[in-house]
Amino acid sequence: MRAQASTVSLISAATFATGVAAICSSFSYGVGNVISLSDTLNKWNVYNENCDVVDSLTTSDNPCTVGMFGCTPAPITFDKFTNITNNASYICVSEPYSGEVCGNNTISVC
Ligand SMILES: *[C@@H]1O[C@H](CO)[C@@H](O)[C@H](O)[C@H]1NC(C)=O
Ligand SMILES: *[C@@H]1O[C@H](CO)[C@@H](O)[C@H](O)[C@H]1NC(C)=O
Ligand SMILES: *[C@@H]1O[C@H](CO)[C@@H](O)[C@H](O)[C@H]1NC(C)=O
C-alpha cells in the first residue's frame, strides 16, 4: 500500500513538472518506433507511462530474433516484450491512442 501510494505521487509529480502526457494508459509499457543510430545499428526504447526509458534494445540484428521482442508476421510489429532480467513477458498491441510520443519517439505498441 505504501509503495503504491508513493508510485502514484511520483507519477503525478513528474507529469505535473514536465507537462508530458502519460502514454499507453492502462498498459504497463510502451515501445517506440525504431531509432536509427547508424547504417547498421538500430535501437528500440521501452518506456513506462511517464516516458522514462525502462529498457532498450540496441542491435544490428533482427530485433524479432534476439530475445527481447517477439514479432507478428508482415506487416511486422512487436507482439511480445520479455524482460531479459526476470523473464517476465508482456503481450504488445498496436498503440491504441494514436500519435503518442516520448520526446520525438512515436510510440509503436503498448
Ligand atoms: C525487469 O526485471 C528487473 C528484475 O526484476 C526489474 O528490476 C526491472 O524493473 C524490470 N524491467 C521492466 C522493464 O519491467
Ligand atoms: C530465463 O529463461 C532462460 C531461457 O529459458 C533461462 O536460461 C534463464 O535461466 C531464465 N532466467 C530467469 C531469471 O528465470
Ligand atoms: C530526436 O531528437 C534527437 C535528440 O534531440 C535528435 O538527435 C534526433 O535527430 C531527433 N530525431 C528526429 C527524427 O527528429
Side-chain angles (χ1 to χ4, degrees):
M1 282 304 150
R2 193 184 158 88
Q4 226 169 18
S6 70
T7 303
V8 167
S9 61
L10 264 180
I11 288 168
S12 325
T15 305
F16 185 74
T18 61
V20 172
I23 59 149
C24 291
S25 175
S26 86
F27 291 87
S28 303
Y29 302 113
V31 183
N33 283 338
V34 58
I35 298 168
S36 179
L37 299 180
S38 76
D39 284 353
T40 53
L41 203 58
N42 291 312
K43 181 177 184 180
W44 289 264
N45 282 338
V46 179
Y47 300 97
N48 65 14
E49 64 179 348
N50 254 345
C51 280
D52 300 317
V53 177
V54 292
D55 207 342
S56 70
L57 173 66
T58 301
T59 183
S60 52
D61 295 328
N62 181 345
C64 303
T65 59
V66 294
M68 188 181 285
F69 295 110
C71 298
T72 63
I76 292 172
T77 182
F78 293 142
D79 63 358
K80 189 176 152 197
F81 160 65
T82 301
N83 180 337
I84 302 301
T85 308
N86 64 6
N87 283 348
S89 73
Y90 302 82
I91 301 297
C92 308
V93 301
S94 290
E95 221 275 270
Y97 317 100
S98 62
E100 290 186 328
V101 295
C102 285
N104 58 12
N105 193 196
T106 301
I107 301 303
S108 160
V109 298
C110 293

